[in-house]
Amino acid sequence: MILPAQRHLFDLPDDVTWINCAYMSPQLHEVSEVGKEAVGRKSRPWLLRPEDFFTDSEALRKLFARLVDADADGVALVPSASYGLAVAAANVPVRVGQRLLVLAEEFPSNVYPWRELAERAGGQVVTVRRPEDGDWTRALLEELDERTALVAVPHCHWTDGGLVDLVRVGQRAREVGAALAVDATQSLGALPLSVAEVKPDFLAAAGYKWLMGPYSQGYLYVAPRFREGRPIEHNWLMRGGSEDFTRLVDYRDDFQPGARRFDVGERSNFVLVPMAMAALRQLLKWGVGDVQETLRALTERVAKGARALTLEVPPETQRAGHMVGLKRRGGYGPDVAAKLAARKVFVSVRGDSIRVSPHLYNTEADVDRLLEELDAIV
């Protein structure tokens, strides 16, 4: 279902065309109000009870689990995708000579931990080259064989939305005994994903883009076979019996159940957690499938107009519907994004693409304004 424009729910000036959600989402009014109220709680610490260190974080865990079709025990609360991927790198076994697959021009947070792991374990990071036809799934499957210990991929490429079929990649990874780690930061909340179907070993996502939440609140899903793994830090909340503040000095070796052992310290953040809860509730109310359908209509309008300007656009079948990369033969000048920003039209340049990433606060008029300004400067 195509959703009606939701601009009234966001704090966006009328003269700003923000078509750059892949950079950062504007904040929902409700999320801002929840945040202001939450900041005030710190002024009254006598009202914070021991159970408050658990109640909201568990509610947030359940909301995220609903979003990705997971069990709440499989969800860890982390500050960033990079933290979640570091947890994965600390637990995925790699033998000498095995390969770790990443995409060309991947976001750094999904490259650096695997380089370190390969160096530590004697493995090899193999970069899958960008396919000329845009079919990342085929390119990955051609490299994914019995030599592979790990596949580290996004759901869609962060520079232009190039799509990866995670179900097919995950199935092949299991066939050859490889682990699957997914950085879903640039898709989760705008592109439907079920961990029950994909079956990733680890799936991490930052919360401040398509999940509409505050900066420094992220999520990590961990498959059952890794839930007894090694955390990358040790905090009191992750330990068994931490609900009883009077017995915290009775040090325990056991952990809270499931993926909670991977929670970041101070995961009960009394400002960020309520804000993230409000954001996820709104996403669930919209429905991620309907968000994707609505945004695809906008990016198709972008693609059609861009082609008329002789810009190159990935095929619709090979990209996600919520973002699109526009390339130009010979490239763009170094200040193309700044020129658009001076006209109060905001996009990002990533790699050699202008990345256009609308959300429900955008309309066809925003797309037409972008195309008009592009025509004037490129």
Side-chain angles (χ1 to χ4, degrees), residues 340-363:
L340 288 169
R343 294 163 166 80
K344 295 190 176 181
V345 176
F346 297 90
V347 295
S348 291
V349 176
R350 296 293 182 264
D352 55 0
S353 295
I354 290 178
R355 185 183 66 190
V356 183
S357 51
H359 210 278
L360 299 181
Y361 41 77
N362 292 121
T363 63

Side-chain angles (χ1 to χ4, degrees), residues 12-26:
L12 276 172
D14 292 339
D15 62 342
V16 168
T17 299
W18 182 261
I19 198 161
N20 201 16
C21 192
Y23 176 77
M24 184 179 294
S25 69

Side-chain angles (χ1 to χ4, degrees), residues 34 73 102 128 136 140 152 154 158 170-171 188 195 204 208 223 231 243 264 273 289 335 340 346 365 372:
V34 167
D73 278 351
V102 300
V128 178
W136 280 112
L140 269 165
W158 74 294
Q171 180 178 358
L188 209 55
V195 298
Y208 67 94
E243 297 88 349
V264 69
V273 167
D335 57 351
L340 288 169
F346 297 90
E372 179 182 341

Side-chain angles (χ1 to χ4, degrees), residues 58-68 72 276-278 280-281 284:
E58 287 305 310
L60 179 60
R61 202 184 309 274
K62 291 176 182 178
L63 285 168
F64 183 78
R66 283 179 57 193
L67 189 75
V68 298
M277 289 168 60
L280 292 190
R281 287 193 185 106
L284 290 166

